[in-house]
Amino acid sequence: MSETDDPEQDLGITESKEYATGDWYAEVVQKANLASYGPDGMSGFIVTRPRGYALWERLEAHLDGMFKQTGVQNAYFPMFIPESYLEREKEIVEGFDPEVAWVETAGTEELDERLAVRPTSESIINPYLSQWVRSHRDLPIRVNQWCSVVRWEATETKPFFRTKEFLWQEGHTAHETEAEAWDETTTRLDQYESVYEDVLAMPVLRGQKPDHDKFPGADTTTTVEALMPDGKSVQGGTSHYLGTSFAEAFDITYADEDETEQTAHTTSWGLSWRSLGALIMTHSDDQGLVLPPTVAPEQIVIVPIWQADTKEAVLDYASELAADLDDAGVRVELDDRDSRNPGFKYNEWELKGVPVRLEVGPNEVDDGEVTAVHRPDGETVTLDREGVNEAVRGELDEVYAKLYAAAEETLDGEIRDADSRAEILGTIGQHGGYVRAPWCGEEDCEAKIKDQIAAEIVMVPFPEDDDHHPDNEASDDEASDDADCAVCGEPAVRTAYYAKTY
Amino acid sequence: MSETDDPEQDLGITESKEYATGDWYAEVVQKANLASYGPDGMSGFIVTRPRGYALWERLEAHLDGMFKQTGVQNAYFPMFIPESYLEREKEIVEGFDPEVAWVETAGTEELDERLAVRPTSESIINPYLSQWVRSHRDLPIRVNQWCSVVRWEATETKPFFRTKEFLWQEGHTAHETEAEAWDETTTRLDQYESVYEDVLAMPVLRGQKPDHDKFPGADTTTTVEALMPDGKSVQGGTSHYLGTSFAEAFDITYADEDETEQTAHTTSWGLSWRSLGALIMTHSDDQGLVLPPTVAPEQIVIVPIWQADTKEAVLDYASELAADLDDAGVRVELDDRDSRNPGFKYNEWELKGVPVRLEVGPNEVDDGEVTAVHRPDGETVTLDREGVNEAVRGELDEVYAKLYAAAEETLDGEIRDADSRAEILGTIGQHGGYVRAPWCGEEDCEAKIKDQIAAEIVMVPFPEDDDHHPDNEASDDEASDDADCAVCGEPAVRTAYYAKTY
């Protein structure tokens, strides 16, 4: 399949990342062949094309590997959940009323009880954990599924960021003690952080959601947050310590060593293809998609440059180079199409986000060299043909490091401090990004920001990560030790990060 | 997680494979922790537990690897299909009216058009192939998705064999010519055959479905069929050459080299978790699950046998053995539980289908040996501790070969010839299995069998594979060269395999 050969295809990105971020994003997603919009009558759905799905597969392989090394087993639960099962969850907390799609008719049959297409699977997985857990010897139990879920959100669709059906993984675990369950919660948060930092080349902020913004029924919701170029924060993955509330509602109990019945502590955690949206949005530019080598379907494209009299020598040289890299495990594409000139090919592979282009012409053949060009910044390096496999790995690592460094620099520059309501509002209004401010812990104070500017507290750092936290003894930030809430002036208990969100 | 530690769990299989195959199968599936039945009100659904899902993951990894080596790219299409899209498929052929589950309400919204939960995805994938294919340079195009589909069948549920929701893969391709599309069709059938023969240790029969039993709209439906121990045939995977009928209905056309518009030839092919049902059913026995090492979650279990005075030495020896095998890439479990005696452990791991058990006691420690026991037949072999990694691989290969040989012997003994209607009926009635008979090609003749005994033509070998085919010049079976249809007595054109089916 070579979708790119279509001569009618318009390769250029016409929108500007800086001035029309949303339109630019939609254009990149479509022109880089990552996704198409769903059928007529199904707004909010997307078709994930092979180049888009390949990103998800690589992310999944990495995260699934980490899960398996840390005791997680995959399973598969039905995609439908009886309404009465969902209702049980409502007992835990009011307000959990997801926008679900309902099946009421199947075949010729009117169902006695309507079935929800799963919006998340706590209410069907927990009853089985209850059956499977009898003794402390059955704990911990950790199940995960890679699947799609459906949430009938009315808001505007953005491929990967917000779709009515989305791919994700959801993990559900039960443990003997709070300490173990909390450890599980942070282990998964660490792994989500690793996905961003080690696979997607993006730094993230980690912390917990304010109590009023937790997953309903959770004791604590932890999150990794990523900053988008338009200054908004994306929730990159969440890991919930559920306390014993779900275990009580679904009767997940176990006999301890003394044969006394105890209630388990449970967790759940999920990461969706929104992470791909964040990836595309963060690194890409007005030439198109930019990808780190970790997830790029092709890490290297070789573009041979020839005239009639040099064609054979150049193509031989390029083919051998491609074969060597392939043998070395590099994902390499040799673009030897006759029907396209090198300039066209450069543009096309830049649009598609190949991290490093290797140019091979008569000069390279004569000198035993290869010219490497980095996708993010066009930096050009001459490599010796001998030892090229190693050298190419080095260039790929360098591209990764550049992408990470650029994202980190952006993030660092977009965290600003404020200590009054006016300053929070003004700073977010003017710059976007994160505004860090002492907070008393009351929802009311957040509301006074949210009502004015649609920004909210996206994250509260864990005390141990927070050098602005008043309780943090190790802090050298004297000012925060006795800080007052930036909004109400009462004593602050935590540092809050305010931002606009996706 | 150690679900097996539950002292209340009843480990023994109580039903007989020979005398109560269905009940025995259900018991093995549940007691080996492969699957649980779905929630109340959702009969026909199962929960695939980690040990069951691990089998699917290994099968998927193998098949997906073959797909990718042969030009297939994975993608993901929406789980819902608008009714009008499904209707377009009805234009191709009457009678395609799958029992689908319908979503009519979502959130608070009544949908303008109801959405089917996909029963298969031709009708949503083909419109996109139509968009993506413009020129002959875009062909071939091959997309596959691993997903679940829903078919609201009323018949009795059997885990993996027949469930309302099931996991599968579905591949959809378009090609320039009939020859290429037919080559695609047989390539996928070959890969399905390989899954059975090289991964699931099961021989299969390959051929095509009678015309009256093809996938609706297909030109040719090819199938691999597996024999179950109760003498019934299971359709193990199907690969369809669709001709141009779907391309015409969904407008999949391309400009050829002369810029003339041509209609593409398409294929589709699918393999579901029914393959796991066939696997479990074929090899397992009255002690429980039997698995080939290729898919077994644990390939080896080490059971140490100690007294108080030998415990330390035995456990040291066993741990080192486990570490060595693990380093060598063998999936090994060391069962060092204090709370269970060796006999209990043997039974438990036999139930769970671990292919080879290694016993390690004081004698083995003294002699520098390891005792290996094959799950399928209890054969016991003494291995030198030195070089044990290699030796264990040899034992695992031997277990695979034993399973395959046993299944092959059964299959070979269950193919019988018949040349009259009475003989077909009598042979299937008495023995089950396959009855091979010359056939005129008319559905009526099959009906005369089907009406009497619920057996049908499950497969017609391809001419080149069929040494009973009257057209086959190379055949040394003189009798079939001028055979008459076993049912009507008219000249036979093909050989038919009759069997009862799942």
Side-chain angles (χ1 to χ4, degrees):
Chain A
M1 166 180 174
S2 56
E3 297 168 355
T4 58
D5 280 1
D6 183 357
E8 288 138 342
Q9 187 177 346
D10 172 14
L11 283 178
I13 298 292
T14 59
E15 301 286 352
S16 152
K17 182 175 186 179
E18 187 173 354
Y19 300 109
T21 311
D23 294 338
W24 163 86
Y25 175 81
E27 201 182 5
V28 170
V29 165
Q30 288 174 88
K31 289 197 173 165
N33 292 347
L34 301 178
S36 299
Y37 288 105
D40 296 340
M42 279 179 63
S43 76
F45 288 82
I46 61 171
V47 169
T48 312
R49 299 182 67 171
R51 292 185 69 80
Y53 195 78
L55 302 177
W56 184 243
E57 280 185 309
R58 291 221 154 74
L59 186 158
E60 175 174 344
H62 184 93
L63 187 54
D64 198 63
M66 287 196 289
F67 287 163
K68 285 186 173 138
Q69 278 167 19
T70 47
V72 179
Q73 297 181 298
N74 287 331
Y76 187 74
F77 288 76
M79 71 154 79
F80 299 132
I81 303 177
E83 185 167 21
S84 57
Y85 278 59
L86 271 189
E87 292 291 332
R88 278 176 80 179
E89 208 163 318
K90 285 196 189 154
E91 293 164 19
I92 303 170
V93 64
E94 261 185 276
F96 185 64
D97 201 356
E99 299 290 336
V100 299
W102 295 104
V103 172
E104 286 151 297
T105 326
T108 54
E109 198 183 329
E110 283 271 345
L111 303 183
D112 291 339
E113 179 180 2
R114 62 181 184 162
L115 304 175
V117 180
R118 64 179 160 229
T120 178
S121 301
E122 273 79 4
S123 59
I124 191 164
I125 292 183
N126 280 315
Y128 285 91
L129 295 184
S130 166
Q131 281 181 36
W132 298 337
V133 172
R134 290 275 171 271
S135 141
H136 65 96
R137 285 182 296 262
D138 300 324
L139 296 176
I141 183 168
R142 301 179 180 98
V143 296
N144 175 67
Q145 66 182 3
W146 293 90
C147 63
S148 77
V149 293
V150 171
R151 298 183 190 171
W152 214 265
E153 305 198 57
T155 39
E156 206 190 339
T157 302
K158 204 183 198 68
F160 302 117
F161 278 109
R162 190 177 297 280
T163 48
K164 283 181 181 148
E165 179 185 7
F166 57 89
L167 295 179
W168 79 342
Q169 61 67 219
E170 51 177 319
H172 301 267
T173 72
H175 307 263
E176 287 184 63
T177 65
E178 171 171 354
E180 284 167 16
W182 178 249
D183 188 54
E184 176 77 15
T185 307
T186 56
T187 296
R188 301 312 155 200
L189 194 70
D190 290 346
Q191 293 177 340
Y192 292 160
E193 191 175 13
S194 164
V195 164
Y196 282 93
E197 304 207 333
D198 303 328
V199 183
L200 305 182
M202 295 168 60
V204 288
L205 298 177
R206 46 183 283 147
Q208 65 188 80
K209 290 286 175 189
D211 278 354
H212 57 267
D213 195 28
K214 299 186 298 197
F215 180 67
D219 178 277
T220 308
T221 288
T222 68
T223 181
V224 290
E225 297 281 325
L227 181 70
M228 294 299 98
D230 56 0
K232 293 182 186 170
S233 184
V234 164
Q235 184 175 295
T238 50
S239 180
H240 314 289
Y241 167 53
L242 302 172
T244 55
S245 61
F246 280 78
E248 279 157 17
F250 290 101
D251 198 29
I252 307 176
T253 59
Y254 66 94
D256 68 12
E257 297 210 14
D258 304 324
E259 296 296 325
T260 307
E261 186 171 290
Q262 305 284 356
T263 302
H265 295 254
T266 67
T267 80
S268 67
W269 23 277
L271 182 140
S272 81
W273 72 16
R274 176 178 285 189
S275 53
L276 299 186
L279 167 79
I280 299 160
M281 184 73 99
T282 296
H283 302 302
S284 303
D285 61 23
D286 289 353
Q287 275 65 57
L289 188 64
V290 176
L291 293 173
T294 37
V295 294
E298 306 88 2
Q299 297 172 308
I300 297 284
V301 61
I302 301 174
V303 179
I305 303 154
W306 68 75
Q307 303 293 336
D309 60 331
T310 55
K311 181 173 178 181
E312 194 181 334
V314 166
L315 280 183
D316 284 353
Y317 190 83
S319 304
E320 217 173 279
L321 176 63
D324 276 7
L325 289 170
D326 185 58
D327 286 347
V330 175
R331 296 192 293 276
V332 59
E333 173 86 15
L334 170 61
D335 186 353
D336 56 2
R337 286 176 290 170
D338 266 324
S339 56
R340 294 281 174 254
N341 63 42
F344 182 97
K345 294 178 183 178
Y346 294 174
N347 287 337
E348 180 176 324
W349 294 110
E350 283 177 3
L351 171 67
K352 294 198 165 178
V354 180
V356 173
R357 175 174 81 233
L358 298 182
E359 301 173 1
V360 171
N363 291 341
E364 279 83 0
V365 175
D366 289 345
D367 301 342
E369 291 177 343
V370 172
T371 301
V373 183
H374 293 186
R375 168 68 181 86
D377 59 359
E379 187 189 342
T380 301
V381 188
T382 304
L383 308 177
D384 281 340
R385 174 65 181 84
E386 206 179 312
V388 75
N389 291 350
E390 289 267 301
V392 159
R393 294 240 176 244
E395 299 307 312
L396 292 172
D397 288 348
E398 212 175 301
V399 167
Y400 192 94
K402 276 182 189 177
L403 294 177
Y404 190 88
E408 193 173 38
E409 197 185 322
T410 304
L411 174 61
D412 288 347
E414 294 288 335
I415 303 174
R416 299 179 181 85
D417 289 296
D419 52 21
S420 71
R421 178 171 170 235
E423 202 180 346
I424 296 172
L425 291 170
T427 306
I428 293 184
Q430 192 184 343
H431 302 288
Y434 297 105
V435 170
R436 188 164 52 186
W439 178 47
C440 64
E442 293 300 321
E443 184 174 3
D444 276 357
C445 287
E446 185 201 42
K448 285 176 186 145
I449 302 298
K450 212 171 182 171
D451 293 348
Q452 288 286 313
I453 201 173
E456 61 194 78
I457 298 175
V458 296
M459 195 270 292
V460 174
F462 301 117
E464 67 271 21
D465 295 339
D466 178 18
D467 58 9
H468 289 258
H469 191 282
D471 294 343
N472 192 337
E473 301 290 331
S475 171
D476 53 6
D477 181 351
E478 294 296 322
S480 68
D481 283 351
D482 52 3
D484 295 329
C485 175
V487 179
C488 69
E490 295 294 312
V493 295
R494 300 295 287 269
T495 301
Y497 280 63
Y498 291 86
K500 293 187 178 182
T501 63
Y502 266 74
Chain B
M1 166 180 175
S2 56
E3 297 167 354
T4 57
D5 278 2
D6 182 357
E8 289 137 338
Q9 186 177 346
D10 173 14
L11 284 178
I13 299 292
T14 58
E15 301 287 351
S16 152
K17 181 175 186 178
E18 187 174 354
Y19 300 109
T21 311
D23 294 338
W24 163 86
Y25 175 81
E27 200 182 7
V28 169
V29 164
Q30 287 174 90
K31 289 196 173 167
N33 293 348
L34 301 179
S36 298
Y37 288 105
D40 295 339
M42 279 179 62
S43 77
F45 288 82
I46 61 171
V47 169
T48 312
R49 300 183 67 171
R51 293 185 68 80
Y53 195 78
L55 302 177
W56 184 242
E57 280 185 309
R58 291 221 154 74
L59 186 158
E60 176 175 344
H62 184 94
L63 187 54
D64 198 63
M66 288 196 289
F67 286 163
K68 287 187 171 134
Q69 277 167 20
T70 48
V72 179
Q73 296 181 298
N74 287 332
Y76 186 74
F77 288 77
M79 71 154 77
F80 299 133
I81 302 176
E83 185 167 22
S84 57
Y85 278 59
L86 271 189
E87 292 292 331
R88 278 175 80 178
E89 206 164 320
K90 283 195 189 156
E91 293 165 18
I92 303 170
V93 65
E94 262 185 275
F96 185 63
D97 202 356
E99 299 289 339
V100 300
W102 295 103
V103 172
E104 285 150 300
T105 326
T108 55
E109 198 184 330
E110 283 271 345
L111 303 182
D112 291 339
E113 178 180 3
R114 62 182 184 162
L115 303 175
V117 181
R118 64 179 159 229
T120 178
S121 301
E122 273 79 5
S123 59
I124 191 164
I125 291 182
N126 280 315
Y128 285 91
L129 295 185
S130 167
Q131 280 179 36
W132 298 337
V133 173
R134 290 276 170 269
S135 142
H136 66 94
R137 285 183 296 263
D138 300 324
L139 296 175
I141 184 167
R142 303 180 177 96
V143 295
N144 176 67
Q145 67 182 0
W146 293 91
C147 63
S148 77
V149 293
V150 171
R151 298 185 188 170
W152 215 265
E153 305 198 57
T155 38
E156 206 190 340
T157 303
K158 205 182 196 69
F160 302 116
F161 279 109
R162 190 177 296 278
T163 49
K164 283 182 181 146
E165 180 186 8
F166 57 89
L167 294 179
W168 79 341
Q169 59 67 219
E170 50 176 320
H172 302 267
T173 73
H175 307 263
E176 288 185 62
T177 65
E178 171 171 354
E180 284 167 17
W182 178 249
D183 188 54
E184 177 77 17
T185 307
T186 55
T187 296
R188 302 312 155 198
L189 193 71
D190 290 347
Q191 292 176 340
Y192 293 158
E193 190 175 14
S194 164
V195 164
Y196 282 93
E197 303 206 334
D198 303 327
V199 183
L200 304 182
M202 296 169 59
V204 287
L205 298 177
R206 48 183 283 147
Q208 64 188 81
K209 290 286 176 188
D211 278 352
H212 57 267
D213 196 27
K214 298 186 299 199
F215 180 67
D219 178 279
T220 309
T221 288
T222 68
T223 180
V224 290
E225 297 280 326
L227 181 71
M228 294 298 99
D230 56 2
K232 293 183 187 171
S233 184
V234 165
Q235 184 175 294
T238 50
S239 181
H240 314 289
Y241 167 53
L242 301 173
T244 55
S245 62
F246 280 78
E248 279 157 17
F250 290 100
D251 197 28
I252 307 175
T253 60
Y254 66 94
D256 67 14
E257 298 211 14
D258 304 324
E259 296 297 326
T260 307
E261 185 172 292
Q262 304 283 356
T263 302
H265 294 254
T266 69
T267 80
S268 68
W269 23 276
L271 181 139
S272 80
W273 72 16
R274 176 179 284 188
S275 54
L276 299 186
L279 167 80
I280 299 159
M281 184 74 98
T282 298
H283 302 301
S284 303
D285 61 24
D286 288 353
Q287 276 65 56
L289 188 65
V290 176
L291 293 173
T294 38
V295 294
E298 306 89 2
Q299 297 173 308
I300 296 286
V301 61
I302 301 173
V303 179
I305 303 153
W306 69 75
Q307 304 293 337
D309 60 332
T310 54
K311 181 173 178 181
E312 194 182 332
V314 166
L315 280 183
D316 284 352
Y317 189 84
S319 304
E320 218 174 282
L321 176 63
D324 277 6
L325 289 169
D326 184 57
D327 286 347
V330 175
R331 296 192 293 273
V332 60
E333 172 87 16
L334 170 60
D335 186 352
D336 56 3
R337 286 176 291 172
D338 266 324
S339 56
R340 294 282 174 255
N341 64 41
F344 182 96
K345 294 177 182 178
Y346 295 174
N347 287 337
E348 180 177 325
W349 294 109
E350 283 176 4
L351 171 67
K352 294 199 165 176
V354 179
V356 172
R357 175 174 80 233
L358 298 183
E359 301 173 2
V360 171
N363 292 342
E364 279 82 1
V365 174
D366 289 346
D367 301 342
E369 290 176 344
V370 171
T371 301
V373 183
H374 294 185
R375 168 68 181 85
D377 60 359
E379 187 189 341
T380 301
V381 188
T382 303
L383 308 177
D384 280 339
R385 174 65 180 85
E386 207 179 310
V388 75
N389 292 350
E390 288 268 302
V392 158
R393 294 242 175 242
E395 299 306 313
L396 292 172
D397 289 346
E398 211 175 303
V399 166
Y400 192 95
K402 276 182 187 174
L403 294 177
Y404 189 89
E408 192 173 38
E409 195 184 325
T410 304
L411 175 60
D412 288 347
E414 294 289 334
I415 302 174
R416 299 178 182 86
D417 289 298
D419 52 22
S420 72
R421 180 171 171 232
E423 202 179 347
I424 295 171
L425 291 170
T427 306
I428 293 184
Q430 192 184 343
H431 302 288
Y434 297 104
V435 170
R436 188 163 52 186
W439 178 47
C440 63
E442 294 299 321
E443 185 174 2
D444 276 358
C445 287
E446 185 200 43
K448 285 176 185 145
I449 303 298
K450 212 169 180 172
D451 293 348
Q452 288 285 312
I453 203 174
E456 61 194 80
I457 298 175
V458 295
M459 195 270 292
V460 175
F462 300 116
E464 67 271 22
D465 295 338
D466 177 19
D467 58 9
H468 289 259
H469 191 282
D471 294 342
N472 193 336
E473 300 290 332
S475 171
D476 54 5
D477 181 349
E478 295 295 324
S480 66
D481 282 351
D482 53 3
D484 296 328
C485 174
V487 178
C488 69
E490 296 294 310
V493 294
R494 300 296 286 270
T495 303
Y497 280 63
Y498 291 85
K500 294 187 176 182
T501 64
Y502 267 76

